[in-house]
Amino acid sequence: DGDRVWYTGTHSPATPDYLGEGEIWLQEVDLNTWSLIGPISYLYRGACGGVWTEGPHLYKRDGRYYLITAEGGTGYHHAVMAAVADKITGPYVSNPRNPILTTRHLSYNNWV
């Protein structure tokens, strides 16, 4: 973002609301030392249940930040979620049409 570089990651939140809840976080990277610097920003705990939220990808388009994540594990409940923010550090608002890609509506014979 400009001359700044950011790292996004996922972890279990310090105070999860339920078992398996994931949380997406962001922190700036110092390119001289390749270390994380500054405060950690907690961006997103998912949508539609938020279980195993992972794989964050951030995109900037027309001055807004779009966060794309995976959620629901690798089986039947796997899905792709989207959220948007005006600042890279959030707050991120879930797309009301989440999940934007899934096979949840299909039978167990068609899971990803």
Side-chain angles (χ1 to χ4, degrees):
D1 191 36
D3 60 349
R4 298 170 79 182
V5 176
W6 300 86
Y7 175 83
T8 55
T10 186
H11 65 194
S12 295
T15 56
D17 293 325
Y18 49 84
L19 184 65
E21 183 177 31
E23 182 172 58
I24 306 301
W25 60 276
L26 171 108
Q27 194 169 7
E28 190 173 358
V29 177
D30 181 324
L31 291 180
N32 293 317
T33 63
W34 286 98
S35 59
L36 299 174
I37 59 172
I40 296 172
S41 296
Y42 301 103
L43 305 182
Y44 191 67
R45 289 194 178 188
C48 303
V51 178
W52 303 302
T53 300
E54 61 185 359
H57 289 74
L58 270 175
Y59 302 93
K60 184 177 182 182
R61 183 173 170 94
D62 298 328
R64 299 192 85 194
Y65 297 89
Y66 295 87
L67 176 64
I68 307 297
T69 66
E71 166 176 321
T74 57
Y76 179 72
H77 293 288
H78 179 74
V80 177
M81 306 298 177
V84 65
D86 293 324
K87 297 187 314 182
I88 196 166
T89 56
Y92 283 81
V93 177
S94 281
N95 182 328
R97 293 185 177 184
N98 276 331
I100 61 170
L101 180 65
T102 189
T103 59
R104 291 178 180 183
H105 60 286
L106 299 175
S107 70
Y108 278 100
N109 294 327
N110 296 291
W111 61 274
V112 177

